[in-house]
Amino acid sequence: MWLKPEEVLLKNALKLWVTEKSNSYFILQRRRRQGDSGGKLSGLLVGALDAVLDSNARVAPFRILHQMPGSQVYWVIACGTTVEEIHQHWEWLEQNLLHTLSVFDNKDDVISFVHGKVKGLIAEETRSKLAEQEEDPEKFREALVKFETRFNFPDLEKLVTYYSCCCWKGRVPRQGWIYLSINHLCFYSFLLGKEVKLVIPWADVKKLERTSNTLITEIIRVTTRSKERDFSMFLNIDETFRLMELLADVTIRRLLDNEAFELDPSLQEPTQITKKDLEARIQTEYFRACFRLPRVEKLDKIVNCLLWTPYSQCHTTGKLYISENYICFASKEEGSCNVIIPLQEVVTVEKMEDTSLLPNPIIVGVKSKRVFQFTEIENREHLVEQLNKRLQLLRGEKPSHLESSAVEEMVSSDSLGCAQKLCSGNTAIDSLVDNSNTKKEPRHSLNSEALMALFHLTETESADATLGMEEVKKRLWYDHFVEYGRTVSMFRTEKIRKLVAMGIPECLRGELWLLFSDAVTDLATHPDYYANLVDESMGKCCMATEEIERDLHRSLPEHPAFQSDTGIAALRRVLTAYAYRNPKIGYCQSMNILTSVLLLYAKEEEAFWLLVAVCEKMLPDYFNRRVIGAQVDQAVFEELIKENLPELAEHETALSCLASISLSWFLTLFLSIIPLESALNVVDCFFYDGIKVIFQVGLAILDANTQQLCRCQDDGQALVILSRFLDHIRNTESPLPQIAQQHVSSDDKEPVQQMEISDLIRDSYEKFGDIHVGQIEQMRCRHRIRVLQNLEDTTKENVLRVVATDVSFSTEDLGELYDLFKREHLLSCYWGGNGSTALHHDPSLPYLDQYRINSFQFSSLFCLLSPWTWGAHTRDLALRTFRLLDENADSLIDFKELVSCLACNEDDTSSFSPLRTTFISSIQSDYFSKSNSEAIDHQCQLKQMLEDLVKTKEVTKDLSLMNQREFIQFCKSMYSMFREDPEENDLYQAIATVTTLLLQIGEVGQRIRSSSSLTELPSCKESRLLTPTDADDAVFKEDIHMNNNPLSQPGVDNWNVSFEQILASLLTEQCLVNFFEKSVAIKSKLMHAKANQYQQRINLTIH
């Protein structure tokens, strides 16, 4: 295979390689062990060396080197594992390159030509591999070549797909091609001799929507912070828009929300993303959302089939979804029948006899002695074989005693042994699970009963009626269990949804919550995990534990269970254990309310696993510092309001207050919004149907109050209307006492009609039950982009607010500079960069620390923004400036540090920086306050400068003396800065005068120090150690001896000058004063940088 040319040295490599063929420009070599005979010691040693290396580190046995006649430098350009492969490469070089190279006169041209050809061959091989993954490889290969040619991106910019379309400018369409890559949306058009190129980074996209205009009914509108772009005339607009949404969502979350973003394994490396991967991701996300499975589950296969449903004595048409740990079935008619079968529950997967009535059948037996029969399965042999392999793998990883334990028994941790592994996604330490057979006694006693069993809450009045209703519900559920099952793998039909909507009986609530959420599987497969976690976490103090302690007594304070030490202690243990298990979430407000309700109806360990299911499966991204999941669902809720309640949506006053009201609806699942006995019914439906229930109930509440909300004049009235309605939602069938919750006090004595919770839930299903999880997931994808970009805008506003007080830039210019700074960080995320840098955005850091750049990135910005971008010393000057800014020596600087070198405040006289002075557009330096036409007393200026330096000596960093070599570098930098200036000649003469003066000053100081006692000087040996080599840049040296002992500065005979002497000498030349005093138009510099930042980075990356 062809390799990117890499320089090697042959001096020590000749013992490991044998030359087989050679010519003037190329050498074919063989590893000594390959084909050696006679048992030579060198061959045996090399063979042993390669044998002990792992497969990834072994060296290919053949390679081709490129050389120049008479040169000792070689480049590896190809390697091969077989003789045939390496000879094929050798023949290509002889036939295509060897005769051509003799034409070149310059050796550098030969090297550039060969390296360019090899890189072209590598690119062609890469294109072929990528093209083979597409539906039409030849067309994709052609499109890939055009994409690379037209936009000249680095190789890391992977093209995902492309479409023919029109891009609109006003009312004028431009026909062309839209290219969707991993980081950018690109458009190219060439009509009537006019070329149009458009590049939009996905990270800049704020909104994607399908809309229309007066001419076209179907348009995809891409909105950034500065512009809107319309695209139309797609052959398949649905597919295009969905892929654009997903690419934007994946890229923005990868770049801006890595705190909670977990890509699928196939998408963890952006350069490997293909159109097929994105389509598979769409299906996987729907699969996880539909069956509410863990985020690590990846859909492996979808099979059309029929499921035999014994309760209806017929076959139900649907699809079988197979993943690593689950077998799921969903009927073609949504909600008719769903089945979730954890592989942990499966006992056997077998083929049945193929008949005309039962074609291609398989049966799946589970531990509850129920059998599921699937028919009309294509390629059933492969499916059965695949499932049996996974079952064997699971059984091999599990202790044998767990195979006979039925999950439906919901055995507690004290009756099971220890599991070998922690649950998926666990971040706690491995030692929490004891793999030995010895039972470990927990240090903390756990509640073995639900708190509701210990603290009964029943009304004395009408208690018989409510208890009678509870008995009726229990009988209905027990009859349902007999026919439909009582395990996780029960048949989930419309009948069970109606039973749940009526309210689950108190005695079955905890059990059914465990089954519906599949928390019971985690409970059974991880015994003793929670007990060990409690022992590890309790007593450790952190920010999460402090917040937990503060909120413990705010959790259902009206309930007697949490007026006692028993309930409070259990709540403390569960919340602390979860914060220890998942430090990324830790503890978030509203988790205490949810957990307290879980503890009422489930044992302590069961409540912990229910909390895990809610936070990590059912409400992902809800419980973190920025509650992104809840904000996204709020935006989805607003869109659903516009679709389902258009009358309310048109009333801006009523709609504007919903954002502040509805957030608590989603975070607490209505538990702190409506009376507890009513909210429990909503939670029942949530565990069965997921987040769609919260959307439905929210829409039903607004629908019931639409008329009043449309008549309100301000947000306050809308808040009172909704709060009074929510306070009067009742559950007359509940055995719990009615507890009033007044959220807003009002003097209005108008009676409020009470609403029965069962009626509200029934209305929500009847009116808004057609909302399906696929629709919600697609809306989430679209609105997540806007939510994350709004958070980025908030970050930017806070950074600018902190920085603006210290600089003289306008807010607009400072904002443009921040965008350049952030884009430089993102460019490194796209295509990599030199040096250490934080390649991911960490939103948990303070605003200023969220984006930082390294010296390579700073040099790029410096070249774009500095007025002194001439000569070879521009990069050196940038690196020296970076070293001065990087005060904490972590090789990174933030935005405030960048701005500090580009501008200064009028009151900032603590340090003197030419860079700062150059970028001031309206403020003159304190030391050059007089106009150029007036006579200036340079001695007064020098005196003032020295006085200020003395005053600020204690607060500024001491500058070491400059030796001769450093002084020469300084002079070269000064000469480079003056290049192409209108007064270039005068400046050169002035700097020559200043240089002569400084040389004389240094010689005087040298003579004075030479006459000093020789005992104060270091020995010759020490001097040699302190003297840098010619290859070093002494500007970057930070030797403590140099700072502490000025007499020991490196150089010839201790020649040196101080910063004060340099500054005083510069002040003697008026043209130099004018040069550093001269203001620079910052807007033009920013516009230039904005236009050229991409191309500059592309050139640096490619070369």
Side-chain angles (χ1 to χ4, degrees):
M1 61 181 292
W2 297 106
L3 302 175
K4 185 178 180 180
E6 182 177 352
E7 187 176 326
V8 296
L9 295 175
L10 295 188
K11 182 178 180 181
N12 298 320
L14 292 176
K15 298 177 182 179
L16 304 178
W17 295 89
V18 178
T19 300
E20 294 281 317
K21 296 181 180 181
S22 66
N23 53 44
S24 300
Y25 296 99
F26 302 103
I27 301 175
L28 191 155
Q29 292 185 330
R30 169 180 54 83
R31 192 78 165 166
R32 276 195 177 274
R33 76 180 190 279
Q34 195 71 18
D36 283 345
S37 60
K40 291 183 179 180
L41 180 60
S42 60
L44 293 175
L45 289 175
V46 174
L49 176 65
D50 291 341
V52 299
L53 296 176
D54 66 324
S55 58
N56 294 326
R58 289 176 185 168
V59 180
F62 302 97
R63 70 179 183 180
I64 297 177
L65 304 178
H66 167 53
Q67 66 168 355
M68 288 301 299
S71 174
Q72 297 298 318
V73 181
Y74 297 80
W75 291 270
V76 179
I77 60 174
C79 69
T81 56
T82 63
V83 175
E84 292 77 10
E85 180 185 4
I86 204 68
H87 279 181
Q88 184 180 0
H89 291 337
W90 181 263
E91 290 172 3
W92 188 93
L93 291 171
E94 287 185 328
Q95 295 172 7
N96 297 276
L97 286 188
L98 193 58
H99 301 294
T100 307
L101 297 181
S102 60
V103 178
F104 293 96
D105 296 329
N106 191 328
K107 293 182 179 182
D108 293 336
D109 293 341
V110 175
I111 295 172
S112 300
F113 181 77
V114 173
H115 291 188
K117 279 291 184 182
V118 173
K119 290 179 181 178
L121 291 171
I122 296 173
E124 186 61 33
E125 286 183 353
T126 304
R127 291 193 198 100
S128 300
K129 291 178 182 178
L130 294 174
E132 289 172 1
Q133 303 175 20
E134 303 299 326
E135 297 175 358
D136 193 338
E138 290 301 323
K139 286 187 177 180
F140 187 82
R141 188 178 291 109
E142 293 176 6
L144 185 58
V145 172
K146 292 179 180 178
F147 172 72
E148 293 175 348
T149 304
R150 290 167 176 172
F151 298 99
N152 195 32
F153 283 132
D155 295 337
L156 292 175
E157 189 62 30
K158 165 79 168 54
L159 177 65
V160 177
T161 189
Y162 64 99
Y163 300 97
S164 173
C165 70
C166 282
C167 178
W168 291 77
K169 184 177 182 180
R171 293 178 175 268
V172 179
R174 299 189 187 96
Q175 181 64 37
W177 293 88
I178 189 171
Y179 298 90
L180 307 181
S181 69
I182 57 175
N183 296 307
H184 299 88
L185 181 155
C186 305
F187 176 80
Y188 180 85
S189 174
F190 186 82
L191 292 175
L192 302 177
K194 186 174 182 181
E195 184 181 53
V196 176
K197 289 183 182 180
L198 179 65
V199 177
I200 303 175
W202 291 119
D204 288 351
V205 174
K206 290 200 68 174
K207 189 177 182 181
L208 282 172
E209 58 181 334
R210 290 176 64 172
T211 182
S212 61
N213 60 20
T214 56
L215 299 176
I216 303 297
T217 57
E218 288 284 348
I219 287 179
I220 296 178
R221 178 166 294 166
V222 181
T223 304
T224 63
R225 288 179 174 81
S226 56
K227 291 183 180 179
E228 289 182 351
R229 299 285 185 179
D230 290 344
F231 301 91
S232 65
M233 306 295 288
F234 294 97
L235 292 178
N236 189 343
I237 192 169
D238 293 329
E239 174 190 307
T240 306
F241 184 67
R242 188 71 183 101
L243 284 176
M244 289 173 68
E245 276 187 328
L246 196 58
L247 263 176
D249 179 56
V250 167
T251 305
I252 290 176
R253 295 176 75 184
R254 171 168 56 88
L255 297 175
L256 306 182
D257 189 34
N258 66 298
E259 179 186 31
F261 182 42
E262 296 177 1
L263 287 167
D264 291 339
S266 60
L267 300 182
Q268 286 181 355
E269 177 56 47
T271 56
Q272 302 302 318
I273 295 177
T274 64
K275 182 180 176 182
K276 290 183 179 180
D277 290 330
L278 292 175
E279 291 171 345
R281 182 179 176 84
I282 294 173
Q283 293 180 335
T284 297
E285 288 187 344
Y286 172 78
F287 164 68
R288 289 198 295 251
C290 181
F291 300 104
R292 295 176 296 285
L293 300 179
R295 297 177 71 174
V296 295
E297 285 300 312
K298 181 182 177 183
L299 181 62
D300 183 53
K301 184 176 294 186
I302 302 177
V303 182
N304 293 318
C305 67
L306 298 176
L307 170 64
W308 173 254
T309 50
Y311 58 86
S312 61
Q313 294 295 304
C314 67
H315 287 89
T316 301
T317 305
K319 292 183 178 181
L320 195 64
Y321 298 84
I322 310 294
S323 70
E324 186 177 354
N325 297 297
Y326 289 89
I327 302 173
C328 302
F329 174 84
S331 59
K332 186 175 181 181
E333 181 183 352
E334 187 175 356
S336 175
C337 178
N338 282 10
V339 177
I340 302 174
I341 308 175
L343 284 183
Q344 296 280 3
E345 282 295 281
V346 176
V347 177
T348 60
V349 178
E350 299 176 354
K351 295 182 291 185
M352 292 177 59
E353 184 180 354
D354 189 4
T355 64
S356 58
L357 295 178
L358 298 175
N360 296 329
I362 68 170
I363 58 171
V364 178
V366 295
K367 295 175 183 177
S368 60
K369 300 181 180 179
R370 183 179 292 274
V371 175
F372 295 91
Q373 183 189 87
F374 301 94
T375 58
E376 297 188 13
I377 294 179
E378 295 183 4
N379 198 7
R380 66 167 179 164
E381 287 79 10
H382 176 70
L383 179 62
V384 171
E385 180 183 0
Q386 186 181 25
L387 289 175
N388 280 319
K389 284 183 178 179
R390 290 182 179 173
L391 285 176
Q392 292 174 4
L393 183 64
L394 285 174
R395 290 167 182 167
E397 294 177 351
K398 284 179 53 181
S400 58
H401 63 268
L402 285 182
E403 295 182 14
S404 60
S405 61
V407 178
E408 67 272 12
E409 296 177 2
M410 295 183 297
V411 282
S412 59
S413 60
D414 51 6
S415 63
L416 291 175
C418 297
Q420 284 186 337
K421 61 177 184 176
L422 303 182
C423 63
S424 300
N426 175 35
T427 57
I429 56 176
D430 294 341
S431 61
L432 296 178
V433 177
D434 184 8
N435 291 323
S436 65
N437 295 324
T438 306
K439 185 72 175 180
K440 181 181 178 181
E441 282 297 326
R443 299 197 307 267
H444 297 81
S445 59
L446 309 179
N447 288 353
S448 59
E449 295 291 337
L451 293 180
M452 192 61 79
L454 302 176
F455 300 90
H456 298 282
L457 275 180
T458 55
E459 285 187 324
T460 55
E461 300 178 6
S462 66
D464 294 338
T466 55
L467 292 176
M469 181 59 67
E470 282 287 292
E471 289 298 324
V472 171
K473 290 181 181 180
K474 284 170 58 177
R475 286 197 299 270
L476 290 174
W477 274 101
Y478 286 134
D479 293 342
H480 185 274
F481 290 151
V482 173
E483 194 171 6
Y484 294 84
R486 192 176 179 175
T487 65
V488 175
S489 54
M490 68 175 70
F491 291 99
R492 309 188 185 206
T493 65
E494 188 63 32
K495 180 179 179 181
I496 195 172
R497 177 178 284 117
K498 291 179 180 178
L499 286 175
V500 173
M502 291 169 56
I504 298 176
E506 296 283 310
C507 60
L508 296 175
R509 182 163 273 144
E511 175 187 348
L512 289 174
W513 285 357
L514 285 165
L515 295 178
F516 292 156
S517 64
D518 194 30
V520 66
T521 301
D522 290 332
L523 172 66
T525 54
H526 302 93
D528 286 342
Y529 171 77
Y530 173 68
N532 294 336
L533 194 63
V534 170
D535 290 342
E536 290 288 337
S537 61
M538 292 301 293
K540 294 186 177 180
C541 184
C542 62
M543 184 178 296
T545 57
E546 294 175 2
E547 294 177 354
I548 290 170
E549 289 297 327
R550 188 166 56 246
D551 288 346
L552 283 177
H553 294 279
R554 304 174 187 173
S555 309
L556 297 185
E558 69 280 356
H559 199 286
F562 298 101
Q563 297 170 0
S564 68
D565 293 339
T566 302
I568 294 295
L571 181 60
R572 178 186 292 110
R573 288 192 294 269
V574 173
L575 291 175
T576 305
Y578 185 79
Y580 188 74
R581 163 193 163 85
N582 193 342
K584 287 185 178 180
I585 292 178
Y587 171 76
C588 181
Q589 285 190 349
S590 77
M591 286 176 66
N592 60 319
I593 298 173
L594 174 62
T595 306
S596 60
V597 173
L598 299 177
L599 284 167
L600 290 178
Y601 293 96
K603 300 175 185 178
E604 185 175 328
E605 186 177 11
E606 295 170 347
F608 170 79
W609 288 111
L610 282 170
L611 181 64
V612 170
V614 172
C615 294
E616 299 176 12
K617 293 193 296 186
M618 306 184 74
L619 295 177
D621 297 337
Y622 261 60
F623 301 99
N624 53 37
R625 190 177 64 88
R626 302 193 295 174
V627 291
I628 290 176
Q631 292 189 59
V632 171
D633 281 350
Q634 274 188 288
V636 173
F637 186 52
E638 290 183 13
E639 183 175 348
L640 291 173
I641 293 173
K642 295 176 182 177
E643 291 182 0
N644 296 277
L645 303 172
E647 181 182 357
L648 181 62
E650 293 174 359
H651 196 270
E652 297 181 1
T653 304
L655 192 61
S656 62
C657 70
L658 294 179
S660 59
I661 297 175
S662 61
L663 180 61
S664 58
W665 297 3
F666 291 95
L667 284 175
T668 66
L669 307 178
F670 287 98
L671 286 171
S672 62
I673 307 302
I674 61 179
L676 177 62
E677 68 279 1
S678 302
L680 287 171
N681 286 30
V682 179
V683 177
D684 294 340
C685 297
F686 166 76
F687 275 111
Y688 181 77
D689 259 335
I691 192 61
K692 65 170 287 187
V693 171
I694 308 301
F695 289 113
Q696 291 175 187
V697 173
L699 290 172
I701 291 172
L702 297 180
D703 181 56
N705 294 274
T706 297
Q707 299 301 324
Q708 297 183 63
L709 290 173
C710 290
R711 289 196 299 267
C712 65
Q713 301 298 320
D714 53 48
D715 293 351
Q717 291 183 12
L719 179 61
V720 170
I721 291 170
L722 288 175
S723 297
R724 295 181 68 220
F725 176 83
L726 294 170
D727 285 339
H728 289 80
I729 295 177
R730 293 290 178 257
N731 186 359
T732 56
E733 298 177 355
S734 173
L736 299 179
Q738 306 290 327
I739 301 176
Q741 293 187 5
Q742 294 293 334
H743 297 91
V744 177
S745 60
S746 175
D747 296 334
D748 189 1
K749 298 182 180 181
E750 180 182 352
V752 179
Q753 184 177 1
Q754 294 191 355
M755 182 75 174
E756 189 67 29
I757 185 62
S758 58
D759 295 336
L760 182 65
I761 293 176
R762 185 185 66 251
D763 290 347
S764 72
Y765 275 103
E766 290 178 353
K767 295 181 179 180
F768 311 107
D770 57 345
I771 300 173
H772 55 86
V773 292
Q775 178 186 1
I776 292 175
E777 285 302 306
Q778 190 168 354
M779 288 182 176
R780 280 176 166 176
C781 179
R782 184 162 60 250
H783 289 289
R784 190 182 293 111
I785 297 171
R786 183 171 61 85
V787 169
L788 288 174
Q789 293 290 21
N790 288 341
L791 291 171
E792 285 297 296
D793 291 342
T794 302
T795 299
K796 177 180 177 179
E797 291 172 2
N798 283 281
V799 170
L800 297 187
R801 187 180 300 113
V802 171
V803 174
T805 57
D806 298 330
V807 298
S808 58
F809 283 156
S810 66
T811 304
E812 181 182 355
D813 293 341
L814 201 58
E816 292 284 349
L817 185 58
Y818 179 86
D819 292 338
L820 290 171
F821 179 84
K822 178 181 173 181
R823 190 175 296 116
E824 193 64 40
H825 166 87
L826 294 178
L827 288 174
S828 291
C829 297
Y830 298 159
W831 308 316
N834 297 337
S836 61
T837 181
L839 289 181
H840 296 288
H841 175 226
D842 188 356
S844 64
L845 295 174
Y847 291 120
L848 274 174
D849 294 335
Q850 290 185 18
Y851 291 108
R852 296 193 294 169
I853 60 175
N854 59 18
S855 59
F856 176 78
Q857 298 163 319
F858 175 79
S859 297
S860 299
L861 285 177
F862 186 87
C863 292
L864 289 170
L865 295 171
S866 172
W868 311 314
T869 54
W870 313 109
H873 287 274
T874 303
R875 291 278 172 183
D876 292 338
L877 183 60
L879 292 176
R880 295 166 188 167
T881 306
F882 180 86
R883 177 60 63 92
L884 292 175
L885 296 175
D886 184 21
E887 295 184 358
N888 60 356
D890 64 349
S891 300
L892 295 170
I893 64 170
D894 58 32
F895 179 68
K896 186 175 182 180
E897 291 169 326
L898 171 73
V899 175
S900 69
C901 83
L902 300 180
C904 67
N905 191 283
E906 189 172 4
D907 298 328
D908 184 10
T909 60
S910 61
S911 63
F912 178 84
S913 171
L915 290 178
R916 294 179 178 178
T917 309
T918 303
F919 277 85
I920 296 176
S921 58
S922 59
I923 304 174
Q924 301 296 333
S925 172
D926 292 338
Y927 307 113
F928 313 128
S929 58
K930 297 184 180 181
S931 63
N932 296 338
S933 60
E934 298 180 13
I936 301 177
D937 189 344
H938 298 296
Q939 291 183 349
C940 293
Q941 288 183 345
L942 177 58
K943 183 179 180 181
Q944 179 65 33
M945 171 65 75
L946 295 176
E947 289 177 356
D948 289 342
L949 286 171
V950 171
K951 292 179 182 178
T952 59
K953 184 176 181 180
E954 296 181 358
V955 296
T956 59
K957 183 169 64 176
D958 293 336
L959 296 175
S960 59
L961 299 178
M962 182 179 288
N963 60 34
Q964 272 193 354
R965 184 177 177 279
E966 294 168 340
F967 179 71
I968 294 172
Q969 294 291 330
F970 171 75
C971 293
K972 288 181 178 179
S973 298
M974 294 288 287
Y975 275 104
S976 298
M977 292 163 59
F978 302 149
R979 185 176 176 183
E980 296 193 12
D981 189 274
E983 299 181 1
E984 183 177 358
N985 292 331
D986 294 339
L987 288 170
Y988 285 154
Q989 292 178 6
I991 198 63
T993 303
V994 171
T995 303
T996 302
L997 177 59
L998 288 171
L999 286 172
Q1000 294 173 352
I1001 294 174
E1003 291 172 357
V1004 171
Q1006 180 184 8
R1007 287 195 297 269
I1008 294 174
R1009 283 186 293 273
S1010 297
S1011 62
S1012 312
S1013 174
L1014 294 176
T1015 58
E1016 298 179 5
L1017 295 175
S1019 64
C1020 297
K1021 182 178 179 180
E1022 291 173 340
S1023 299
R1024 286 195 299 270
L1025 291 175
L1026 291 174
T1027 303
T1029 63
D1030 293 337
D1032 294 332
D1033 189 347
V1035 176
F1036 297 107
K1037 297 294 181 181
E1038 294 181 357
D1039 198 306
I1040 188 170
H1041 299 292
M1042 298 181 187
N1043 293 331
N1044 294 339
N1045 188 1
L1047 296 178
S1048 62
Q1049 293 291 339
V1052 180
D1053 296 331
N1054 287 329
W1055 185 100
N1056 51 54
V1057 291
S1058 67
F1059 172 71
E1060 291 82 357
Q1061 291 169 335
I1062 294 175
L1063 183 58
S1065 301
L1066 290 174
L1067 289 172
T1068 62
E1069 294 294 329
Q1070 184 61 42
C1071 60
L1072 292 177
V1073 172
N1074 295 339
F1075 176 80
F1076 288 112
E1077 183 185 29
K1078 180 174 56 180
S1079 62
V1080 176
I1082 185 63
K1083 287 188 180 296
S1084 62
K1085 276 291 178 183
L1086 291 173
M1087 293 300 294
H1088 167 77
K1090 189 175 181 181
N1092 294 278
Q1093 187 177 21
Y1094 253 75
Q1095 192 57 49
Q1096 174 181 276
R1097 188 53 180 268
I1098 289 172
N1099 294 337
L1100 290 173
T1101 304
I1102 291 176
H1103 299 301

